[in-house]
Amino acid sequence: MKRRILFLALGSWLLVQPSAAQKAVTDTVHLKFSIDSVGLEEVVVKGHRTPAANSRWSDLSPVELVTVGGANGDLYKALQTLPGTQVQGESGELLVRGGSSYETQTYIDGMHVLNPYTSTGINTPARSRYSTFMFSGVNLASGGASQEYGEALSAVLPLETKDYSKVNKIGVNASVVGVGGGGTRTFDKGSLSVDLNYQNLGLYDKVYSGRRDFEKPYRMFSGATQFRYTPDEATALKIYAQYDRTDFSTYEGSNRRIFGLGEDNVYINATFRRRTSGDWNWFAGAAYSFYEQKIAGAAAAGDDWLERQQELHLKAKVFKRLSPAFRLDMGAESFIRRYENHYRLSVVDDRNRMSPAVSAGFVSATYYPLEQLKAELSFRTEYASRSRKVNFSPRLAVNYYWGDVMLSAIIGRYTQLPENSYLVRQPDLKSEACVQYNLGAQYDHEGRFYKAELYYKDYSRLALVEENAGMDADAAAGTSLLTSGGYGRSRGIDLFFRDRALLKNVEYQLSYSYNISKRKYQEYTELTTPQYATRHNAAAVVKYSIPRLHSIISVTDRFSSGRPYHNPARAGLMNDEVKPYNSLDLGLTFLASRKVIIHASATNVLCRKNEFGKVDNKAVLASSDHFFYVGVFITLGKKAAYDVSNF
């Protein structure tokens, strides 16, 4: 859904809210509506008894996410306030329940996104490549996801774009980091949208520089377009394409070598949905991703690094409600990938290539024996071309309603190819596996949503670097063997409280996660807590609406216990922690007029210097302790508020 529509929908609500003083004077409230007022594009009605049988944390609209204090409009940073997630201030990527960012995969309209994050410098948080407002809703599945979504050990983030737009719109935006503009043109049964944006941190860095010393400032140009066609209520065709170019260079290390990065990224997504007269629902989709990154001075002055990735994701599925008590889903998909890297330095010339592919089929049967009970049994089978292994992954999910309370239980097995950096070195590595167990309870009634969930994750077949494996010490000195012998576990509890009814014009959200994660994998040769995993994570988000000022003020306070690191003075691995993380963030959204929206945010206003572990006994710090953002969004049309995504 569009930022312009959502922000103005929010603004229109603010404009007509009576104040407390007005209510005290009279029992009659007069509302005056202008004929030229802005209308909502669509209203979505969702059934109470049909939630997805996985660990999801309430549907979140784009407005709800972008008004999170300190999110700066970034999808992934806003999601880090949900339970199960862990603060990743040095990379900005999404980590869920003790898993690495690689284990959480993003899907747009059911199709895989190979590289959802922007590229940045060392210890600089990345952002989503895609505007939050491009989507009609966001719902993170932190565990027990449907077997339709493959190649994700920990969690999936399924994002759905709108099916149609009925309003012509055009607008521009300007902020402290760049400019942009675009619009949507509607026609009979369809629409075409275009969005252009340019970011340049040169001025921002001069005014408010961080720890990175730039030779050339961070610059990013992106262009996106989406075509939507809905000839009737039973058919929808959507085609989305985006290209972005990123480049910058910084001075790194004591010798101030120049680290220069240039990157090109392409994503194309096409989906087709059709419901037949017999109530069979058909879906077909294709997504192509291309990513190329070139770095000069990656590890030493004068070197060159090239990394190129491509993926073609093909998918087809069909589902039908065969009876009031039974629904059947089934489908097939393929991930066809190509990866290569090339490193050059003086006489060193190292080139690696691979073309892994995964083919899969999935089937799911959902049974409603009672109105209060829903059971879902699903299976997924995969064939990995490199290892020539077949993986079989079952899943069982049960929901039971008791009034406004829902009890849930999920057990499922998930697989994923090892990371490219390991798979390219050892093509015969098996797909990594994780078995998830989830028990949860939630309460949802009149603006109050409370949820608690226990989980346990059992990892196996993880990529592992085994030193001197199978050799005597003299012959194997300095050598290592890459195997699929890694394993680990992660367990904990997630708590979530969200209340919109306690106080007038106030909404609060509290989340807490307790996690114990241990792994023996990659370079961790002993069972230990990974450097990115923290035991305690909490976030509080409070939003206060001021109707008379047409504003929303948001305050976010995030906390996590210290990151583990290895102290050479003590035996063992990862046996110490840095100081705890804490950041107090603020946000303000102001509807200056029906056509002008101002949004501002600031992170870590208490100026705390947060650490993200240690390397060689030196604290890992983000490139900047703070960030501020001010943006203005202006509508050039008559009846639609502007948003940066224009979709």
Side-chain angles (χ1 to χ4, degrees), residues 303-573:
D303 69 0
D304 289 292
W305 166 261
L306 167 69
E307 184 177 45
R308 184 179 294 122
Q309 302 180 58
Q310 298 179 67
E311 178 186 79
L312 177 62
H313 180 206
L314 303 173
K315 182 176 182 179
K317 66 175 182 177
V318 60
F319 63 91
K320 181 181 180 179
R321 192 76 174 257
L322 298 177
S323 73
F326 187 77
R327 167 175 163 154
L328 181 66
D329 298 62
M330 52 188 170
E333 65 180 344
S334 291
F335 299 86
I336 304 169
R337 296 171 177 169
R338 180 177 175 82
Y339 174 84
E340 63 178 297
N341 61 45
H342 187 195
Y343 181 78
R344 292 186 302 175
L345 174 62
S346 185
V347 297
V348 177
D349 193 325
D350 182 45
R351 186 188 298 268
N352 300 281
R353 293 190 182 95
M354 66 174 180
S355 299
V358 174
S359 299
F362 53 89
V363 60
S364 175
T366 307
Y367 183 50
Y368 306 82
L370 304 170
E371 181 186 0
Q372 297 83 7
L373 182 63
K374 174 183 177 180
E376 182 179 297
L377 179 63
S378 57
F379 301 91
R380 181 182 180 89
T381 181
E382 292 183 344
Y383 175 76
S385 64
R386 301 292 291 182
S387 63
R388 298 181 180 178
K389 300 292 184 181
V390 176
N391 297 303
F392 180 72
S393 300
R395 171 180 175 267
L396 175 63
V398 178
N399 288 352
Y400 180 76
Y401 286 95
W402 184 24
D404 294 314
V405 176
M406 186 187 81
L407 306 177
S408 62
I410 307 170
I411 178 173
R413 183 178 187 269
Y414 303 88
T415 60
Q416 183 175 11
L417 289 177
E419 295 185 45
N420 288 329
S421 58
Y422 296 97
L423 192 61
V424 75
R425 291 161 52 189
Q426 179 54 264
D428 294 333
L429 290 176
K430 300 176 182 178
S431 292
E432 299 176 334
C434 178
V435 179
Q436 298 186 23
Y437 307 84
N438 301 277
L439 286 175
Q442 73 177 47
Y443 171 82
D444 188 2
H445 180 69
E446 295 184 351
R448 292 182 170 91
F449 181 84
Y450 309 144
K451 184 170 182 177
E453 188 162 81
L454 290 164
Y455 64 87
Y456 181 84
K457 298 162 66 177
D458 186 13
Y459 290 90
S460 61
R461 306 195 312 197
L462 302 180
L464 174 66
V465 178
E466 297 187 17
E467 299 293 338
N468 304 328
M471 301 181 183
D472 60 67
D474 293 334
T479 64
S480 61
L481 181 65
L482 192 55
T483 72
S484 295
Y487 59 93
R489 59 182 180 271
S490 179
R491 63 184 186 274
I493 184 172
D494 292 336
L495 303 176
F496 188 57
F497 305 89
R498 187 174 190 175
D499 197 322
R500 300 172 178 171
L502 180 64
L503 298 172
K504 180 183 177 182
N505 297 333
V506 174
E507 173 187 333
Y508 76 85
Q509 172 184 307
L510 305 175
S511 64
Y512 170 75
S513 298
Y514 177 78
N515 173 262
I516 299 177
S517 181
K518 298 283 187 179
R519 290 195 183 191
K520 180 180 179 180
Y521 85 130
Q522 297 182 2
E523 279 73 30
Y524 296 102
T525 56
E526 298 179 17
L527 190 65
T528 188
T529 301
Q531 185 272 339
Y532 53 77
T534 50
R535 182 158 296 191
H536 302 277
N537 294 272
V541 179
V542 180
K543 298 179 184 179
Y544 178 53
S545 301
I546 310 176
R548 284 184 293 180
L549 298 180
H550 313 144
S551 302
I552 292 180
I553 297 175
S554 177
V555 179
T556 302
D557 194 9
R558 293 185 297 170
F559 166 85
S560 69
S561 53
R563 291 275 194 93
Y565 74 96
H566 175 48
N567 185 347
R570 296 173 57 183
L573 291 174

Side-chain angles (χ1 to χ4, degrees), residues 582-594:
N582 182 239
S583 179
L584 180 65
D585 307 333
L586 302 178
L588 171 65
T589 303
F590 173 53
L591 187 69
S593 73
R594 289 184 181 273

Side-chain angles (χ1 to χ4, degrees), residues 108 113 115-116 128-132 134-135 240 242 265 267:
I108 295 179
V113 180
N115 288 287
S128 169
R129 295 185 190 273
Y130 310 100
S131 168
T132 305
M134 190 177 102
F135 309 107
Y240 173 80
Q242 175 167 326
N265 184 80
Y267 180 71

Side-chain angles (χ1 to χ4, degrees), residues 140-155:
L140 174 67
S142 59
S146 168
Q147 292 291 10
E148 175 186 340
Y149 300 104
E151 295 297 293
L153 282 185
S154 285

Side-chain angles (χ1 to χ4, degrees), residues 1 46 60-62 135-139 158-160:
M1 194 172 285
K46 299 187 177 180
L60 299 172
S61 73
F135 309 107
S136 58
V138 177
N139 203 324
L159 305 171
E160 297 292 330

